[in-house]
Amino acid sequence: MTRRRSAAALALALIVAGCAPDSGKGAGGPPAATVGGNARIAVPRPGPPGEWPMPGGDYSNSRYSELADITAANATKLQVAWAMSTGVLRGHEGQPLVIDNTMYLVTPFPNVAYAVDLATPGQPLKWRFRPENAQAAAGRACCDVVNRGAAYADGTIFYNLLDGHTVAVDAKTGEQKWRTRMGDVSLGETITMAPIVVKGKVIVGSSGGEMGVRGWLGALDVKTGKVLWRAYNVGPDKDMLIDSSFRPFYAHDKGANLGVTSWVGDSWKRGGGVSWGWVSYDPALNLVYYGTSNPGPWNEGMRPGDNKWTCAILARDADTGALKWVFQVTPHDMWDYDGVNENILVDLEVNGAARKALVHFDRNGFAYTIDRATGEVLVAEPFVHVNWARGIDMKTGRPILNPDKLTGEGKLVKEICPSLEGGKNQQPAAFSPQTGLFYVPTVNLCMDFKVRPVSYIPGTPYIGADAPERLGAGGFGGEFIAWDASNGKKLWGIKEPFPLWSGVLVTAGGVAFYGTLDGWFKAVDARTGAPLWKFKVGSGVVGNPITYRGPDGKQYVAVYAGIGGDMGLLIAGDVAANLPYDVRERGTTLPDLAKWTSWGGELFVFAIP
């Protein structure tokens, strides 16, 4: 799921809460070509640089392209080259793929897939695939019916359906090769994440953290769809595929069956910890990396303990699924700070030493630079304003909690920053080896928090809290920032009126691209943050831009327009214009957003004529 408020929490009253913003230089800061030393992407892009073969562009999730035809000098000339309606409304998260002059798209529910012929004028469809997809899934999904994209390998497109299935589709014909049920929608399990393919295995994770499910990550055979392994994220060691090779870095993470003993009673069976975000892979270490969501329920008093391994970053053996190390970013989470955000794999210098690193911008507002071989935290600094914690204890990796922001029954805790939307949600950052910088779409929201009792009923919301939100201090909704992960510092930032819910693309041409909720698609100078170009795409952008080289030799940039996800469905004012009334109540955190945008479903492609 995205941010996840389920049906019982959709009618939250949103009231005023303020907090001070993070300070930093505005757009137009100094050049940053040498920031981060000789930083490089850990796993180079497979195949030609003009293709986009996997969700993050490469196994490192860098979202960097070597294409350099579009530059800071000529980006002002960008124009719409062509566009295409997807035929579906709701939140268009994710990104297309481009392989061999064919573009592959996947829509929100009902998860229609398209293959577009880029080599023929007019970009006709090669095929359209409409899968069987249970309508009940749309009612179970907590935070819109999004899909974060497909993966490609061996002539096959792989993607997940909202109702808990994974499908394999022939990339040439659009014929279904296999279909495997991975989740039980009757229990509230859905799947919204983008899979990746590693060594003949399709890696898939679950959604449904607000429904009292138990999260997992699984691997399916690319040829048959057979489940090769499934590892739970909470529970006994045998279910989590923990054996003698498990080597967590910190002492408090060592011990038998911590996925049970860090919970009270059998509450781990309803403990959440789903893996609905992004997956990275390091072939040299043969490890897949991913994060887990909040524990269930939000009412922390019902689950004393660290609640391992929710809100954590996990490293698993790609062949067997065995857990090699884990780092719990937010132990005993009481603010809905999922740890599912992307992990970007880079090699960089930290404190004068070359490190194989993983960089993670967490919902909790801290940016972590972690040794990806061991799980040791090397750098941990706030990238937005944070007041729930006073910092990170570098000896233990644990947050130093602010006692004034601890939640519990019988009290209303005000002005917690960031809100449960996080300093950044699932919208992925990007990394440029040219500048050594990470480009991060951030959110400036704070919240009040009040817990309440809740009972578990299978397939229904299991939350137990209300969390009204509003803009943080400064009156802006989000900021596009450049971050130095070697030192944990912001170099520059561009404030935006609304929270940023778009992913980022950065290129060898020195240009960074991102979109806004009010429907602007923008290009900025990757070194200075200077604005270069923008275009109004109509509907808000919650997807992730990509770039590719067309059959005519030109560089193109593509992005979805279609507001939705948690930000468009629940936080914004009423941006749905297709119904006389909407059955779901809207929030009022962003009441002005409906002046600027409405639901949509469009692919826009840009180029320099």
Side-chain angles (χ1 to χ4, degrees):
M1 295 172 301
T2 309
R3 212 264 331 132
R4 305 147 347 280
R5 276 193 193 82
S6 53
L10 292 177
L12 300 182
L14 299 173
I15 61 179
V16 173
C19 57
D22 187 23
S23 61
K25 295 178 179 179
T34 60
V35 168
N38 297 317
R40 70 179 185 89
I41 297 168
V43 190
R45 176 190 302 273
E51 297 187 340
W52 197 273
M54 60 181 65
D58 50 46
Y59 280 132
S60 294
N61 266 328
S62 74
R63 297 188 181 266
Y64 172 80
S65 171
E66 297 174 359
L67 298 184
D69 297 349
I70 300 170
T71 68
N74 64 20
T76 57
K77 300 178 182 179
L78 282 165
Q79 296 181 11
V80 176
W82 58 278
M84 169 188 162
S85 172
T86 68
V88 179
L89 299 175
R90 307 291 284 265
H92 280 62
E93 293 184 358
Q95 59 288 304
L97 302 179
V98 176
I99 299 101
D100 193 22
N101 290 327
T102 303
M103 178 181 286
Y104 300 94
L105 296 79
V106 179
T107 75
F109 181 86
N111 304 139
V112 179
Y114 296 100
V116 179
D117 184 357
L118 301 177
T120 300
Q123 295 77 38
L125 293 183
K126 288 186 173 181
W127 49 257
R128 178 191 291 111
F129 173 68
R130 296 187 180 94
E132 295 181 15
N133 202 347
Q135 181 66 41
R140 302 285 185 184
C142 133
C143 311
D144 205 5
V145 293
V146 300
N147 183 283
R148 297 187 182 87
Y152 171 86
D154 301 328
T156 307
I157 298 295
F158 305 93
Y159 71 98
N160 295 309
L161 307 183
L162 190 66
D163 72 356
H165 289 83
T166 302
V167 295
V169 181
D170 189 290
K172 290 186 177 180
T173 67
E175 297 295 321
Q176 181 175 292
K177 290 185 173 182
W178 53 256
R179 171 188 175 100
T180 301
R181 181 188 179 192
M182 294 296 290
D184 186 346
V185 72
S186 70
L187 297 178
E189 282 187 311
T190 53
I191 306 183
T192 59
M193 59 90 74
I196 66 168
V197 179
V198 173
K199 298 178 69 175
K201 301 174 184 65
V202 186
I203 308 297
V204 176
S206 59
S207 299
E210 272 62 51
M211 300 292 181
V213 302
R214 182 161 67 119
W216 49 262
L217 192 81
L220 294 79
D221 183 87
V222 295
K223 297 186 182 299
T224 66
K226 178 183 177 182
V227 178
L228 300 177
W229 54 259
R230 187 195 297 255
Y232 285 92
N233 300 323
V234 296
D237 286 355
K238 63 180 178 62
D239 292 357
M240 292 192 61
L241 304 187
I242 292 177
D243 57 24
S244 60
S245 66
F246 181 49
R247 296 284 187 275
F249 184 83
Y250 297 99
H252 56 80
D253 291 334
K254 298 176 181 177
N257 293 309
L258 294 181
V260 172
T261 61
S262 63
W263 297 77
V264 61
D266 67 352
S267 59
W268 57 270
K269 294 180 180 180
R270 305 173 294 280
V274 296
S275 40
W276 55 268
W278 307 96
V279 181
S280 309
Y281 173 61
D282 183 341
L285 298 173
N286 197 35
L287 294 178
V288 292
Y289 305 90
Y290 67 103
T292 59
S293 81
N294 60 289
W298 292 1
N299 184 339
E300 57 82 30
M302 297 178 63
R303 45 172 175 81
D306 273 359
N307 308 135
K308 301 180 186 298
W309 299 98
T310 61
C311 296
I313 299 169
L314 289 78
R316 292 191 180 276
D317 183 278
D319 294 326
T320 65
L323 189 63
K324 297 302 181 181
W325 63 257
V326 62
F327 169 64
Q328 192 172 29
V329 185
T330 311
H332 187 61
D333 169 48
M334 57 183 74
W335 307 275
D336 189 34
Y337 290 154
D338 294 40
V340 302
N341 291 354
E342 73 287 348
N343 299 295
I344 303 176
L345 310 186
V346 294
D347 297 336
L348 49 72
E349 189 174 289
V350 181
N351 297 324
R355 304 298 293 254
K356 294 182 179 295
L358 169 159
V359 177
H360 174 88
F361 298 91
D362 197 73
R363 281 262 284 274
N364 70 16
F366 287 93
Y368 295 82
T369 303
I370 297 172
D371 186 305
R372 68 177 182 271
T374 66
E376 177 188 6
V377 177
L378 307 175
V379 180
E381 295 290 342
F383 64 96
V384 295
H385 176 65
V386 171
N387 69 13
W388 68 274
R390 293 169 175 166
I392 302 299
D393 183 337
M394 295 303 291
K395 292 182 180 179
T396 65
R398 296 174 73 93
I400 303 167
L401 301 180
N402 178 354
D404 294 336
K405 304 303 178 184
L406 303 183
T407 69
E409 287 195 34
K411 62 178 179 178
L412 171 64
V413 185
K414 298 183 72 66
E415 299 184 8
I416 302 170
C417 307
S419 80
L420 44 69
E421 300 295 343
K424 188 182 83 64
N425 208 280
Q426 59 78 35
Q427 61 275 25
F431 168 74
S432 170
Q434 285 191 336
T435 65
L437 293 176
F438 293 78
Y439 300 90
V440 191
T442 74
V443 175
N444 180 37
L445 293 176
C446 298
M447 66 180 174
D448 297 345
F449 206 97
K450 185 175 183 180
V451 303
R452 51 181 167 76
V454 63
S455 298
Y456 174 68
I457 302 173
T460 65
Y462 186 55
I463 296 176
D466 295 326
E469 305 172 75
R470 66 151 294 154
L471 296 181
F476 62 97
E479 187 176 17
F480 183 74
I481 69 171
W483 184 262
D484 173 8
S486 294
N487 300 297
K489 295 185 182 299
K490 183 175 78 172
L491 272 293
W492 50 257
I494 305 169
K495 290 181 171 60
E496 295 285 353
F498 299 105
L500 289 176
W501 217 256
S502 151
V504 182
L505 165 71
V506 64
T507 72
V511 181
F513 295 88
Y514 69 98
T516 67
L517 285 179
D518 51 344
W520 290 100
F521 186 50
K522 298 185 176 185
V524 302
D525 189 303
R527 296 188 185 278
T528 68
L532 301 173
W533 167 89
K534 64 180 181 179
F535 182 87
K536 183 77 167 182
V537 292
S539 186
V541 181
V542 298
N544 312 315
I546 69 161
T547 188
Y548 66 93
R549 189 173 300 285
D552 57 0
K554 286 185 179 181
Q555 180 183 355
Y556 292 84
V557 178
V559 70
Y560 293 131
I563 194 170
D566 183 60
M567 191 57 65
L569 182 70
L570 301 172
I571 299 303
D574 186 3
V575 296
N578 63 316
L579 297 173
Y581 61 90
D582 194 352
V583 296
R584 298 187 184 221
E585 294 189 41
R586 298 288 177 198
T588 56
T589 301
L590 307 175
D592 294 334
L593 185 55
K595 296 179 181 178
W596 304 102
T597 190
S598 186
W599 281 6
E602 190 95 357
L603 171 77
F604 280 87
V605 181
F606 302 90
I608 296 175

